[in-house]
Amino acid sequence: MPVQIGDKAPDFTLTSASGEPISLKDFIGKKNVVLYFYPKDDTPGCTAEACAFRDSYQVFQDAGAEVIGVSDDSSTSHLQFAAKHRLPFILLSDKGKQLRKLYGVPSTLGLLPGRVTYVIDKSGVVRHIFNSQLNFKGHIEESLKTLRELQEA
């Protein structure tokens, strides 16, 4: 069963680009989390999406959220990708696609790993899911809209 809005987000621990273990529980009670799954480092669409998150990163921070990108690329690949594009947020390596499977992120045309963003509130509940392989900016816009709604609540 894929994760749905209103579900408790499954916890995880994955390795970051810097080699540190990062868990969802590290943020619970402290920050909202924008967890976005993307297909591959340094491809045109993924670079456009990552740079859009980068360009809005301060807005996410001001909204009390941490941005976390996930793909099955290695930590070394993430480190190079982050350095090349000055990405200030966390990138996690999901080797074997276990987290992708845990969240039920679909593939596109059965081949490409899906591009899905989850907004998880401070209590660990999924508040919004945006699934679009091609609408890169929509991932940022939809996430920010949800975070603003959480701030107003």
Side-chain angles (χ1 to χ4, degrees):
M1 261 315 266
V3 171
Q4 302 288 318
I5 292 172
D7 289 352
K8 193 81 164 162
D11 192 26
F12 58 82
T13 302
L14 291 175
T15 305
S16 71
S18 62
E20 299 172 70
I22 302 288
S23 299
L24 179 60
K25 68 181 176 212
D26 298 339
F27 301 96
I28 301 303
K30 299 173 193 159
K31 288 186 167 195
N32 299 307
V33 173
V34 176
L35 181 69
Y36 84 95
F37 291 85
Y38 65 98
K40 186 148 184 60
D41 288 347
D42 238 354
T43 56
C46 296
T47 299
E49 182 182 29
C51 290
F53 271 114
R54 176 201 65 206
D55 295 346
S56 297
Y57 186 66
Q58 189 58 53
V59 180
F60 282 100
Q61 293 279 284
D62 292 346
E66 185 56 62
V67 175
I68 301 174
V70 180
S71 78
D72 69 341
D73 293 295
S74 69
S75 294
T76 303
S77 175
H78 283 336
L79 200 57
Q80 293 167 346
F81 183 49
K84 181 176 180 181
H85 299 288
R86 301 177 328 279
L87 305 179
F89 49 85
I90 298 166
L91 294 177
L92 298 178
S93 180
D94 184 23
K95 280 294 184 199
K97 300 180 177 139
Q98 293 307 309
L99 187 58
R100 187 174 284 278
K101 290 174 190 161
L102 183 63
Y103 273 73
V105 177
S107 295
T108 302
L109 304 172
L111 301 169
L112 274 178
R115 185 182 311 279
V116 180
T117 299
Y118 298 83
V119 177
I120 302 165
D121 71 14
K122 289 179 187 178
S123 64
V125 174
V126 176
R127 295 296 178 182
H128 189 72
I129 300 169
F130 186 74
N131 180 355
S132 176
Q133 194 71 1
L134 300 176
N135 183 1
F136 314 120
K137 290 191 177 169
H139 289 268
I140 286 79
E141 292 164 357
E142 291 282 323
S143 298
L144 286 172
K145 178 180 172 214
T146 302
L147 290 168
R148 286 186 196 106
E149 290 168 0
L150 289 172
Q151 282 184 308
E152 292 169 7

